[in-house]
Amino acid sequence: MTERAPDTLPADLVIHGGIIVTGETQFAASIAIRDGRIFAVGDAAAMPAARETFDAAGLHILPGAIDVHVHFRDPGYTHKEDFESGTAAAAFGGVTTVFDMPNTIPTVADAAALTAKHAIAASKAHVDYGLYAVLGEDTIDKVPELVEAGIIGFKLYMGNTFGRIPTPSTGAMLEAFEVVAPTGKRVSLHAETNSVMERRQRQLVEAGRTDALAHLASRPAVVAVEAVARAAILAEWTGARIHVLHISSAAELGPLRDAKARGVDITGETCPHYLMLGAEDYARWGGIIRVNPPVREAANQQPLWDALADGTIDMIATDHAPHTPEEKTRAEIWSVDCGFPGVETQMPLMLTEVAKGRYSLSDYVRWSAVNPARIWGLYPRKGVIQPGADADLAFVDMGRTWTIRDADLKSRSKVSPWDGRDVTGMPVHTMVRGRFVVKDRALQADTKGHGRPVHTFQQMPAAAPRHADQTIAAATAVVAPGAAA
Ligand code: NCD
Ligand code: ZN
């Protein structure tokens, strides 16, 4: 008996009949999968023998979305969400990889907290994940141990938000960037300048403002503009890579574009709520719409769409920020928790705009999968449908019009400003590394714990630190001239 060459082994699964969407184009083809990876893409007749086949007729097959900004609240706030409910929600939204934020309890600021969260994620996740660690005023010395213990990147809070993580001073930010730059890791920024917001909020409170729109008044766009510009200056000086989270205003695009033009390694995301909701929605939703940064005047929407189209904004993320109905409906706006769930509604909301003809499915795939994978060094293992890539697939029915209902959300948080919205385009099945996690809108058995960390194969481009001779570490290493040896 002759041994078969590895490339003649049967595939585990061949998917026929779907339309494959890439960042450039779409085409009808079959996909063969073996050991969780895509093994062949092409004519049905050219596919290898398979143990199983799957009929995707009538569906578009997209690379699963990579949502680089979710809050799954585990450990510490599991009444709002946990890694199991959050990743189930992701799978229902066609999202196959998530990056989880560190504002949990304890804050992910040292290796012990990070290792504990890794254990939680490994036991509960339905989809793949990366974990962020905090870069804080007093934890800069933890950078090496955090990188060692396995992170996708750092998160730095320039302004206060849920979790009340203290804001590092500009001095601490510079030092933090000096220390992170040689690691090559990206620093994701909550770019809102704290001192401005605190001062304005205090005066709004004193003036008796407790209405929902007072939240927007406390954080005008200049708060973000100043933060983005300042962070870009520090990134340019140190060579640290940065990512601007949840871009909410047209005005931020100026410093973002300028920094990109100067060659700063800066990327940005926006979220569906900044593209699709406006100041007029506060009257309807009250505290439910409270989020940081705030939903702004509707005039910001088209410039944000244009910035996605021209590449100034690199991607769509959700800032999935679950809270309970009680936490979202308190009478006085300042006591309402900020944020709302979004990981499972992003894809249908965005596909609705594709259905309207606003942009193409390939545009969407670049924003939701290709660009996040490239920017975090996961490409071409993630973010693309081609041989060698993980078989992370979102099967969507572009003809399906349906209504988002909070009650149907898989998130533990069943309160969002999307309730009652009609959408066109439904993620029907979701596959993670060759395994269906959701099939026919049903969570499959035994997929809890299927998710795996992605930092293990992350390959960021070579680090490019600048002014390394002028860092505080370099300066304090110099023995004072004339000092006794
Ligand atoms: C987020 C949360 O609830 O964790 N809230 C929010 O309003 N966006 C924190 C954050 O990303 O700012
Ligand atoms: Zn934030």
Side-chain angles (χ1 to χ4, degrees), residues 69 71 73 103 161-162 190 246 291-292 319 321 323 338-339:
H69 189 169
H71 299 268
R73 312 291 193 211
N103 57 337
T161 184
F162 180 76
H190 183 111
H246 41 42
V291 60
N292 299 325
D319 188 11
H323 300 286
C338 295

Side-chain angles (χ1 to χ4, degrees), residues 161-248:
T161 184
F162 180 76
R164 303 201 72 80
I165 292 170
T167 302
S169 62
T170 303
M173 259 181 87
L174 174 62
E175 186 178 338
F177 282 15
E178 289 173 356
V179 172
V180 172
T183 73
K185 293 282 182 186
R186 194 170 289 279
V187 182
S188 292
L189 301 163
H190 183 111
E192 291 189 294
T193 295
N194 204 54
S195 59
V196 180
M197 307 189 292
E198 264 187 355
R199 195 178 172 91
R200 293 179 69 97
Q201 182 171 329
R202 192 172 60 242
Q203 291 177 66
L204 284 157
V205 169
E206 279 165 15
R209 289 282 302 270
T210 58
D211 58 301
L213 269 168
H215 177 62
L216 174 55
S218 72
R219 297 173 178 237
V222 66
V223 162
V225 175
E226 197 274 342
V228 172
R230 182 158 49 97
I233 289 168
L234 302 180
E236 183 171 21
W237 183 264
T238 56
R241 312 197 146 100
I242 58 172
H243 175 72
V244 183
L245 299 160
H246 41 42
I247 294 171
S248 59

Side-chain angles (χ1 to χ4, degrees), residues 55 61 64 85 147 168-169 246 277 281 318 369 386 388 413 440 448 485:
D55 181 7
I61 306 178
S85 57
V147 171
S169 62
H246 41 42
L277 299 175
D281 291 301
T318 68
Q386 69 183 29
S413 168
D440 294 316
K448 177 182 173 186

Side-chain angles (χ1 to χ4, degrees), residues 14-28:
V14 173
I15 299 160
H16 293 297
I19 297 172
I20 294 173
V21 187
T22 71
E24 292 80 36
T25 185
Q26 40 178 287
F27 51 92

Side-chain angles (χ1 to χ4, degrees), residues 58-397:
L59 301 178
H60 287 79
I61 306 178
L62 281 52
I66 299 173
D67 189 340
V68 306
H69 189 169
V70 304
H71 299 268
F72 285 167
R73 312 291 193 211
D74 198 353
Y77 303 100
T78 50
H79 66 288
K80 297 174 190 273
E81 194 79 289
D82 76 355
F83 237 93
E84 183 177 4
S85 57
T87 53
F92 273 84
V95 175
T96 53
T97 301
V98 292
F99 296 172
D100 182 59
M101 286 295 172
N103 57 337
T104 38
I105 307 175
T107 303
V108 180
D110 59 28
L114 177 61
T115 303
K117 191 186 264 194
H118 267 300
I120 291 168
S123 68
K124 296 187 184 175
H126 294 279
V127 304
D128 287 353
Y129 53 87
L131 302 182
Y132 278 106
V134 147
L135 198 51
E137 175 95 21
D138 301 317
T139 55
I140 299 170
D141 59 325
K142 305 290 186 197
V143 164
E145 70 177 57
L146 287 163
V147 171
E148 176 67 26
I151 54 168
I152 197 69
F154 287 98
K155 168 79 176 271
L156 191 147
Y157 290 89
M158 297 178 76
N160 181 47
T161 184
F162 180 76
R164 303 201 72 80
I165 292 170
T167 302
S169 62
T170 303
M173 259 181 87
L174 174 62
E175 186 178 338
F177 282 15
E178 289 173 356
V179 172
V180 172
T183 73
K185 293 282 182 186
R186 194 170 289 279
V187 182
S188 292
L189 301 163
H190 183 111
E192 291 189 294
T193 295
N194 204 54
S195 59
V196 180
M197 307 189 292
E198 264 187 355
R199 195 178 172 91
R200 293 179 69 97
Q201 182 171 329
R202 192 172 60 242
Q203 291 177 66
L204 284 157
V205 169
E206 279 165 15
R209 289 282 302 270
T210 58
D211 58 301
L213 269 168
H215 177 62
L216 174 55
S218 72
R219 297 173 178 237
V222 66
V223 162
V225 175
E226 197 274 342
V228 172
R230 182 158 49 97
I233 289 168
L234 302 180
E236 183 171 21
W237 183 264
T238 56
R241 312 197 146 100
I242 58 172
H243 175 72
V244 183
L245 299 160
H246 41 42
I247 294 171
S248 59
S249 67
E252 273 158 275
L253 299 170
L256 177 59
R257 280 197 181 101
D258 289 350
K260 285 192 167 190
R262 300 199 303 273
V264 180
D265 190 339
I266 182 171
T267 56
E269 73 186 31
T270 189
C271 312
H273 42 282
Y274 303 118
L275 294 165
M276 301 176 199
L277 299 175
E280 68 282 1
D281 291 301
Y282 282 79
R284 168 161 179 211
W285 296 105
I288 290 172
I289 205 173
R290 187 183 191 207
V291 60
N292 299 325
V295 166
R296 301 190 183 285
E297 301 75 10
N300 290 281
Q301 294 168 7
Q302 190 57 45
L304 293 172
W305 283 111
D306 294 344
L308 272 169
D310 73 17
T312 303
I313 296 179
D314 299 271
M315 71 192 75
I316 283 288
T318 68
D319 188 11
H320 176 83
H323 300 286
T324 66
E326 185 279 320
E327 293 162 342
K328 289 301 294 174
T329 55
R330 294 169 183 155
E332 189 235 35
I333 194 63
W334 309 113
S335 59
V336 171
D337 281 349
C338 295
F340 41 79
V343 73
E344 61 194 292
T345 45
Q346 175 271 113
M347 191 175 284
L349 287 167
M350 294 296 291
L351 294 180
T352 302
E353 302 299 315
V354 173
K356 287 183 197 160
R358 189 167 204 160
Y359 57 87
S360 75
L361 261 179
S362 287
D363 291 331
Y364 173 68
V365 162
R366 284 200 310 282
W367 306 336
S368 62
V370 180
N371 292 351
R374 283 190 191 281
I375 285 165
W376 269 274
L378 304 179
Y379 192 93
R381 176 89 176 261
K382 299 285 192 197
V384 61
I385 299 176
Q386 69 183 29
D390 282 347
D392 294 349
L393 307 173
F395 297 71
V396 304
D397 181 347

